[in-house]
Amino acid sequence: MILGIGSDLANIERIEATLARFGDRFRDRVFTEREQRKAEGRPRAVAATYAKRWAAKEACSKALGTGLRMGISWKDMAVSNLRSGQPVMHVTGWAAERLREMTPAGHEAVIHVTLTDDHPWAQAFVVIEARPTGPVLGPVAPTGT
């Protein structure tokens, strides 16, 4: 079952200008150390990497049904990548609390995220799914009378 869907489009040039203007103050307020290492380790795509993660955080906050105005911190949502390159969203703090609240009993929440960029745009989609944690029973066969 789908619990939430969010999307966001970020302008890479805007993120690049913000990085130039505010530097570490911006990085440290919005991005985890791991996210910063990933972006700074991509010298030809620093701004694009940050822009995709910015978009992912915005999309995640929308999928959680809160936006960024209801207590979720930027760092409560973080993107990392599997060895395959697939992005993974991690939530902590208030975002994790909100996720627990919206997940029905007997289910686990799974956050799916996809990122893309094509200069000057970076885009992210987040889908939050609730999967049953117990055995899934099929339809019950009718009994004869």
Side-chain angles (χ1 to χ4, degrees):
M1 130 185 20
I2 302 298
L3 297 179
I5 300 172
S7 68
D8 194 65
L9 187 64
N11 185 287
I12 295 168
E13 292 169 355
R14 179 175 163 251
I15 296 297
E16 189 172 39
T18 303
L19 287 164
R21 182 171 179 196
F22 297 104
D24 287 342
R25 195 168 112 204
F26 173 65
R27 280 184 202 85
D28 293 341
R29 180 173 169 248
V30 176
F31 302 100
T32 65
E33 288 181 26
R34 186 176 188 176
E35 289 173 313
Q36 290 180 44
R37 280 194 309 274
K38 173 73 172 182
E40 300 300 327
R42 303 186 72 209
R44 293 178 11 150
V46 172
T49 303
Y50 279 124
K52 286 187 282 188
R53 278 148 180 75
W54 172 281
K57 292 167 186 269
E58 287 275 8
C60 185
S61 72
K62 293 171 185 175
L64 289 168
T66 63
L68 284 160
R69 298 177 186 209
M70 296 182 66
I72 292 179
S73 163
W74 286 104
K75 288 185 173 183
D76 285 349
M77 301 164 289
V79 177
S80 67
N81 295 84
L82 300 177
R83 290 184 66 127
S84 65
Q86 177 184 349
V88 178
M89 178 64 71
H90 308 274
V91 293
T92 58
W94 203 91
E97 183 180 318
R98 171 68 181 143
L99 185 61
R100 278 190 298 277
E101 290 172 0
M102 64 190 288
T103 305
H107 291 74
E108 66 177 341
V110 179
I111 302 174
H112 304 275
V113 61
T114 185
L115 308 173
T116 191
D117 67 284
D118 187 6
H119 194 85
W121 301 107
Q123 186 174 37
F125 288 96
V126 171
V127 175
I128 302 176
E129 172 190 11
R131 290 186 187 161
T133 54
V136 178
L137 302 176
V140 178
T143 57
T145 53

